[in-house]
Structure formats: structure tokens, C-alpha cells
Amino acid sequence: MSGDQIRPGWRSTPTRNARKDEHRTPRAPDARLPGDAELGGALRRLADAGDRTAAHLCLVAQPMLFGPVARRTPLGDTWRDALRRHLAGAPGEAAARLADVPLGGTAADAVQVHCFAAAYHLAAGEPERAGYAAEEAARAAAGCRLPAAAQAVARLGVLLAAAGGDEAPTRGGPDLAAGLPRPDFGLFRLMLHFEVAHQALRTGNAGPALRHAEAAIRLAEATGGSGHEPYALSLAAAAKCQLGRLEDALADGAAGQRLRELAGGSTEEAFGLAVLGMVHRRRREPRQARQALEQALAALDSGVRRPALRVWVLTELARVRAADDLRAARDLAERAVTLAGDAERSSALLARGWVALLAGDTGRAHHDAADARTGATLDRRRATLVQALQLTVLASADPRAATGLLDDAATLCQELGDRAEEAAVRLIAARLRGRRARRGAEGAEQQLRRCGVRLDPGVADGLTAITLRVPAVAVHTLGDFRVFRSGTVVPYREWQSKKARDLLKILVAHRGRAVPRSRLMELLWPDETPSRTANRLSVLLSTLRRVLGTGQGGGHGPVLADRSSVAIDLNVVDVDVEAFLIAAEEAQAAQRAGHADAPRLLARADELYGGDFLADDPYDDWTQPLREEAQAAHTSVLRALAQHAGDTDQKLVYLMRLVHRDPYDEDAHLELVQVLRGAGRHGEAERRYRAYADRMRELGITPAGRSAPDEPLAAAPPALTGTAPPAAGRPTATDARRVPRPRPAWSTEVGPGHPPPLSYRPEHPRPALSHRG
């Protein structure tokens, strides 16, 4: 809140860009501004309205100087002029007026002017400059020997101690506020909590920051200092954001912003908007984050100079703009690095490094990560160090070999209590480690969603970098066989021969297990002796290595071979059938445990199934084990999806896919007929029942629901799921057909238009094969 809400007549033209105003000659104070006798009361009213800088000035002022002036001094005119400008709504001009105060002097006015300068530096987030001004104030107070001056300097020292992270002053008694009017003691305690919370946030200690922010909220409510409640809520939101409690952080940040808007003021508006922008950035919502951060920049341009806050806003905005404009993001990050002081430099370097990584400049990203890591380590800023470790890994030549650093980052997140960042680190590590860590990746994704984090690529962070990272080699075997190298399909001409592709298929079918060279030669050249094919196999291995690429950055390639055997490294190569089987296993486990997330996991597994394993090679024996395993897993997924489907049409789709996969699946046939009858689609139900009955007769089984072939369809067959148990003692059609039945004599001699019963998958029948019991 500004001076408008205190006394509108005192307001003059608002200041423009504070960076420009620092070098302007201050204008003469407006005649309508308060006189000397009114300064103290006006300052207190502005402090109560929520102006944190005014509260600092109020606490370090000497009350005896707010009254009739017996003898005017240049230093007295300086602080009075600065104070009037602040009350007029021009805090930037007030800070500029105090920027070049001459040293020396032992009068009370000298103490006052240096205390005021320290208060402005403190509010601007410049504790070192505030300390220098406090030292000058202490020297002046020692010379003038006035109790009021010594008390003002003592209060300033307590504020500086709190700004350094000392929690002891927040537990002190009224003796800390010696010389203050009794009503100001509550304001003093409130500012101490603010300073400790703010310092804890800067160093990444979110737990203490939240504790003091919540204490400030309670104190503001108890003392009637509602003007400071928005700032306290923003501090609490920032602390909760660092703890990964993003939903709560968003609620507190939005509540603080609403209170500011209801008050009609802009005090600490830039900080509140910056916090909202950070929360949205961590939730990976770039549009909302950009809106809040750009408003924060505009508020900074029209307010008091806040260099540390400006750097923070620029770093956050750079990471957000990477979602839509990498050039703009790079410019913002460069500005942040240029303006950053020692305390903000690591964060600014991280922003520039993340943007560089997304732009493909891994050299710059790695260099900035190293510098940020060093700075965060020296300053003991663990939250910044977590980000630096992530960037170091993802910008390295061989990220998979550097994943040990991510374990260190996850440990730091546990110490900080940041559940969302810990889940992000574990997800990045799991995706780098390949298929063996996919279960961990799924758990990390669930934790991120619970924390309110979106997983779509967007802002410049580790999740976006790992999502956009294209695997070096990806093999698609479900449906059409294709090999991708760095995201591009390998053209057929590079293989030189079909045998080279067959070699890769065989290795994939063995799922990473070592295959003896003799077995490979037998499969590739079944009619020739090993002595004639050994050299050919060596040539094929050379071709395969060339096509897939060799290891980079010291890592080995995707083909592992010695003198006796060959294998494919599934930790280096992404194979779609492996991803599907792992996803299907996780979905089935969730289904058995009754987890609410089971339908989503089942749908994800179904999406990964692009067709039968190596469908172009239906008759090769070495494809059958993995093909049948994948088919069985997909059938289980479809059955579970049919159970979860609430929509009739969707349920029918899954059941029809089951029947198409296995025309002899009696349960799927009967449930399909029942669903159709329940939907009133009797004609279609009759046709589906006839198809089912034909399949059962081929197997020598009496179809359920009829006692004779030409009878009409009886009452609906029993449902497979969700049906009531039959009446006691009453046999059902299901009972009749569940008696142990002999396995039929399999034969390819079937009626016209029927797929061969021996084929488990009718789209690839095996002609001229039969099984004799």
C-alpha cells in the first residue's frame, strides 16, 4: 500500500524507472507534504498500512527528532527530505537522496540519516551495505551520547542480526525495543520474523522460513497489522514452494495477492508476484508464470530499487520464456548474470545454463553448471546446489555415467524436505538409467502429480531437458520393424543386407541375454556349416555397430560381443517391447492392488502396444516366445480395461479387440453378447452369438446359452464380471461348460471363412501344421 491510502493530498507524481532516478537531482518537496511535527505520525500510519520500508524507518528513527526543529542542519534536511519523498509515494527518490550521505558528524541528525540509509539497504536486500551504514550510525551515536540515538542504533543492530539469520531476537523480550513506544513493540517483532524468514529463504532453509512466516501471520492478525499480512502470506508461499507443497504455496500466494488488490496498494507487490511466478514455474505452468513475473518486473520499474529481487525475477522469467522463445530467454538470463551480486550469481548462472542446454549449447551449460555448483557449495545454498547437480549431469558428455550425482541431489532434497524436487531428481535418474529403473520412474511421476507438477515439456529445468532428450538408439519391434538413431529412422541402404537386420532382431528377441555365436550362425544360415559363416557373422557385427553407433563419452556401444557370444545392451538401446512389458506389469500390479491409478496405467500400456512383436517375421521360431508373452500381456491389459470401462461403447471396443485377438476366447465372446443385449442391440448380439457358437463347435464344445444348435438365443449368458451368484441348487450353463473338457484334436481342416484354429493369432496362420493329441 502506498501513501495514497494514508493521505491522498500528499501524493505527487509517481517516480519512473528507479534505475534512472538514482542519478537525477531530487525535486523539491511538495508544499502539501507533512511538516516536521507530522512526520512521525505519517510514517507510522504508512508502516501500519503494510509498507515494510516505512516500518524499518519507524523502528530505527529517533522519536525526539519528530517535533519542532530548534536548529536546522544539512543532515537533518537530508533525512527529512527523503522521508517526505517516501511519504509522497516516491521511495526510489527517497533512497537516492540517502545514497550519498557524507560521513562524519556526531549529532543526532547524523545518527538518524545513517540509520535511515541502513533501513533502505535492508529493505532492498542489501545487508552488506546496510551493515556499512549501521557502522557509521554507531560511530555517530557514540559521539553524540544521546540515549535515544544509542537505542536507535541498537534496534538497527537487532534487525541486521535477524537479516543474517539469527533467530534469537525473535524470542527476545521488550528490552530489545528500548526507547520504542509500547505499540511499536509488536511491529518490531513482526519485522524480525520477516527478516529471519527472508534470510532462510535465500539460503534454502525452507523449514525455518515457513515457521517464521506463519509466526508473522499470527502476529499480524493479533496486533491488527493487517497491512503486513500479504507479505507474510507471500513468505509462507515461497517457503512451501521450496518444500514442494506447491498446491498450498499457490493458495497462500494467491491469497496474499488478493489482499493487496483489495487494499488497492502496491507495497511489496513485486515480491508477491515474483513468488507467484516461482510457484507457477515449479508447477511447470509457463503461461501463468510469465504473466506474474512480467507484472513483477513492471512493479520493480516503478518502485524502490531492489537489485536482488530484480535478479531473481529475471532468472525465473528466463527459465519460463524458454518454453516459447529461447532467444528472449537467453537475453533475460544474460541480464540476470550481469546484474547479479555474489548472493544471486549462482541462481543467475543456473538460469543461463538451463536455457543454453535447451538450445543445444552443452558447452556453455556445463561451464555455468560448474560455476553455479562452486558458488552454491561455498555459500551453503543446498537448494541451488540441487539444481546445479542436475544441470551438471544433463550437460555432461555421458549423462548416464554421471547419474551418481543425482543420488547426491536426491539426498539433499530429503534434507531440505522438498518432495517435489526429490521426485523430479529421481525421475531424471530413472530415465537416464534405462529400463531397469522404469518402475522408479513411474513412482516419481506419481509423486510429481500429487505435488501438482505437470510433466509436459515447458520451462527450462531438468524435467524438460530429459523429456526432450532423444535416445541414441531406439528399436521399434511392435508392428513394423524400425530402428531410430538420434530420432531419425535408419534407412534400409545403410544396413547393406537383410541379415544385419535379422541379427539385431534375434538379439532383441533374446532380451539382452548373451546368445552364443554358434546359435546365431545356426539361425542366420541354417543350411551352412559354422566354419563357412564365422567370418560372415563378424562382418554383420561390424555393420550393426556402424549402423547403431559406438559408445560416446567413454561409454560402450549398444552391441556387447566377445569371442563366444553376442548381446544387445538394453540399458543403452530403447526397445519398445521391453517398455510395453514393464508398463503392462506395473498396470497389472496396480490392478491387483486396487489402486485408483490402475485405469491410467492400463491405458498407457495399451498405447505402447503397437502390434505383434516382429509381425513381419511370423514364422521364425525364435520370435515366438517374446511374441506370445507380449500378446498375453496385452490380452490381460485389454481384459482389465474392459472391466474399468464405464462407457458401453468403450467397453465394446475392448471386448471386440479381445475377440479379434483370440476368436476362441469364450469369456470375451459371452461378455460381448451380454453387453450388446444390455444396450438393446439385439440383432448385433445375435450375430455375435452365432460367431461364438461356430468357434465353440469347431472345438467340440456346446455353446453356452443354448441346448440345441437351432434354438433361439436363450436368456442372456451369465456376465463374466459383476454378476450375482446363481440361486442355490440351480445349475447354470456356465456350470455345464466348466466341467473338465478334453482338449480337441487340432486340425487345419476347418470350414470356409474360418481362421485356422491352431493359430493363436489369426492374422498370421501357420498353414499345413497340426497337433495330434
Side-chain angles (χ1 to χ4, degrees):
M1 187 172 292
S2 65
D4 294 320
Q5 285 70 43
I6 304 303
R7 186 172 294 183
W10 297 347
R11 178 84 173 182
S12 59
T13 305
T15 182
R16 290 182 291 276
N17 191 313
R19 290 174 293 177
K20 299 177 182 178
D21 292 336
E22 291 179 18
H23 306 289
R24 292 173 48 195
T25 302
R27 62 174 183 234
D30 196 304
R32 294 171 296 174
L33 294 179
D36 293 341
E38 298 176 291
L39 286 177
L43 181 62
R44 178 57 204 240
R45 289 192 292 274
L46 191 58
D48 287 341
D51 188 322
R52 195 164 58 92
T53 305
H56 282 83
L57 295 175
C58 207
L59 295 172
V60 300
Q62 300 177 67
M64 68 176 190
L65 297 180
F66 292 116
V69 181
R71 182 173 63 87
R72 304 192 69 89
T73 66
L75 289 178
D77 291 341
T78 297
W79 70 258
R80 287 182 176 86
D81 182 42
L83 183 53
R84 288 191 178 95
R85 294 182 187 281
H86 191 105
L87 295 172
E93 291 187 4
R97 187 75 176 91
L98 295 166
D100 299 317
V101 176
L103 302 181
T106 58
D109 283 326
V111 179
Q112 186 95 316
V113 75
H114 290 302
C115 283
F116 273 23
Y120 273 101
H121 289 311
L122 198 59
E126 300 173 318
E128 289 188 4
R129 297 182 70 178
Y132 297 146
E135 290 175 2
E136 291 299 322
R139 278 193 286 269
C144 72
R145 299 181 181 179
L146 291 174
Q151 291 165 352
V153 171
R155 292 192 296 273
L156 177 59
V158 174
L159 285 170
L160 285 171
D166 186 358
E167 299 184 47
T170 62
R171 299 187 291 269
D175 56 303
L176 289 175
L180 276 181
R182 180 64 187 175
D184 284 354
F185 180 57
L187 180 65
F188 190 36
R189 290 182 58 207
L190 188 62
M191 291 302 111
L192 290 175
H193 282 296
F194 281 164
E195 293 299 338
V196 175
H198 208 278
Q199 175 62 15
L201 284 175
R202 282 195 294 261
T203 55
N205 296 316
L210 180 58
R211 187 168 65 252
H212 286 281
E214 290 177 339
I217 293 173
R218 293 191 298 270
L219 193 57
E221 293 173 348
T223 59
S226 59
H228 293 284
E229 192 173 352
Y231 183 71
L233 283 167
S234 294
L235 284 174
K240 290 176 180 177
C241 181
Q242 288 191 8
L243 290 170
R245 296 166 53 183
L246 301 182
E247 296 286 354
D248 293 343
L250 186 60
D252 283 352
Q257 196 61 22
R258 282 195 299 271
L259 287 177
R260 289 188 189 90
E261 292 170 357
L262 289 173
S266 59
T267 298
E268 299 297 343
E269 180 183 18
F271 178 76
L273 288 166
V275 170
L276 270 179
M278 177 182 67
V279 174
H280 282 301
R281 193 265 301 168
R282 286 207 58 189
R283 285 168 58 90
R284 313 188 79 244
E285 298 168 330
R287 182 180 60 83
Q288 297 92 323
R290 178 181 176 183
Q291 181 180 4
L293 292 167
E294 288 180 343
Q295 290 177 6
L297 270 185
L300 284 171
D301 288 341
S302 62
V304 69
R305 192 179 71 90
R306 304 282 293 276
L309 181 56
R310 181 178 294 275
V311 171
W312 179 32
V313 173
L314 288 172
T315 59
E316 291 288 337
L317 189 55
R319 297 180 67 170
V320 168
R321 290 303 308 275
D324 57 11
D325 190 338
L326 281 172
R327 177 175 296 180
R330 187 163 47 243
D331 292 342
L332 288 164
E334 289 290 352
R335 284 176 57 191
V337 173
T338 301
L339 296 174
D342 292 341
E344 303 85 33
R345 184 168 176 78
S346 295
S347 297
L349 288 171
L350 276 175
R352 188 173 71 178
W354 282 122
V355 173
L357 182 63
L358 295 189
D361 188 355
T362 55
R364 163 58 69 186
H366 193 271
H367 185 271
D368 285 344
D371 287 350
R373 185 177 170 187
T374 301
T377 302
L378 292 175
D379 295 340
R380 298 182 180 180
R381 301 197 173 192
R382 294 178 292 175
T384 306
L385 182 57
V386 168
Q387 288 281 310
L389 290 172
Q390 292 180 57
L391 183 57
T392 299
V393 171
L394 293 172
S396 63
D398 187 4
R400 192 186 302 270
T403 52
L405 292 177
L406 295 177
D407 294 333
D408 297 338
T411 301
L412 286 173
C413 290
Q414 289 178 339
E415 295 174 0
L416 293 169
D418 191 341
R419 296 170 296 176
E421 195 65 24
E422 181 186 356
V425 170
R426 296 199 182 282
L427 177 57
I428 294 168
R431 290 186 176 175
L432 285 175
R433 286 166 177 156
R435 71 184 188 100
R436 300 184 188 279
R438 288 186 188 273
R439 192 181 302 276
E442 186 66 31
E445 287 181 7
Q446 293 177 18
Q447 177 64 34
L448 285 168
R449 289 191 179 93
R450 285 194 291 269
C451 291
V453 179
R454 296 176 54 182
L455 298 180
D456 306 326
V459 300
D461 61 8
L463 292 177
T464 295
I466 197 65
T467 301
L468 297 179
R469 184 173 179 266
V470 178
V473 180
V475 181
H476 287 201
T477 61
L478 296 175
D480 296 335
F481 177 76
R482 290 172 297 168
V483 177
F484 292 81
R485 186 178 56 213
S486 299
T488 304
V489 177
V490 177
Y492 280 116
R493 63 177 180 274
E494 287 197 32
W495 293 96
Q496 296 182 353
S497 73
K498 180 180 179 298
K499 294 292 185 183
R501 293 195 301 275
D502 289 343
L503 173 59
L504 178 58
K505 293 177 183 179
I506 294 170
L507 295 176
V508 169
H510 282 77
R511 308 190 64 182
R513 296 187 296 269
V515 186
R517 286 177 178 256
S518 58
R519 174 61 176 163
L520 290 174
M521 289 184 282
E522 178 185 348
L523 293 174
L524 292 168
W525 300 281
D527 300 326
E528 300 190 42
T529 61
S531 60
R532 298 184 58 184
T533 57
N535 288 337
R536 297 182 195 176
L537 179 59
S538 297
V539 172
L540 291 185
L541 284 172
S542 298
T543 302
L544 189 57
R545 287 193 179 99
R546 177 178 52 77
V547 169
L548 300 184
T550 57
Q552 297 179 353
H556 58 71
V559 179
L560 306 175
D562 55 28
R563 293 184 177 182
S564 61
S565 62
V566 182
I568 194 78
D569 189 349
L570 295 180
N571 288 318
V572 177
V573 180
D574 284 355
V575 180
D576 59 349
V577 68
E578 297 292 339
F580 162 72
L581 289 172
I582 292 172
E585 180 186 352
E586 292 173 350
Q588 290 292 334
Q591 169 80 356
R592 290 190 296 270
H595 290 168
D597 211 27
R600 183 188 64 80
L601 295 175
L602 289 164
R604 176 173 174 268
D606 182 39
E607 291 173 359
L608 291 175
Y609 193 82
D612 288 343
F613 176 67
L614 294 179
D616 294 336
D617 303 278
Y619 309 125
D620 290 311
D621 291 339
W622 48 267
T623 65
Q624 291 301 317
L626 186 52
R627 179 182 296 147
E628 293 175 0
E629 181 179 352
Q631 288 172 339
H634 189 228
T635 298
S636 298
V637 168
L638 290 176
R639 288 190 194 281
L641 284 171
Q643 292 180 18
H644 283 287
D647 179 74
T648 299
D649 290 335
Q650 188 61 57
K651 192 180 191 73
L652 288 172
V653 168
Y654 290 129
L655 291 172
M656 289 176 184
R657 290 171 66 187
L658 280 170
V659 170
H660 174 72
R661 170 164 295 288
D662 186 355
Y664 302 97
D665 188 335
E666 185 178 15
D667 289 346
H669 273 293
L670 291 174
E671 188 168 5
L672 178 58
V673 172
Q674 182 185 5
V675 173
L676 287 169
R677 284 174 60 84
R681 296 158 65 171
H682 301 289
E684 191 174 352
E686 177 66 23
R687 289 192 298 274
R688 289 289 177 181
Y689 184 83
R690 291 183 185 278
Y692 152 71
D694 290 344
R695 296 298 181 267
M696 295 300 102
R697 290 192 189 99
E698 291 171 11
L699 301 178
I701 299 173
T702 301
R706 285 176 178 163
S707 58
D710 295 329
E711 287 184 6
L713 181 60
L720 302 179
T721 58
T723 57
R730 181 179 177 182
T732 65
T734 304
D735 297 329
R737 73 174 187 275
R738 292 306 180 205
V739 297
R741 56 195 183 199
R743 296 189 61 84
W746 291 92
S747 172
T748 58
E749 299 175 2
V750 296
H754 292 191
L758 177 60
S759 174
Y760 289 94
R761 305 300 176 261
E763 60 270 31
H764 299 304
R766 289 193 178 202
L769 292 176
S770 65
H771 173 77
R772 298 179 182 176

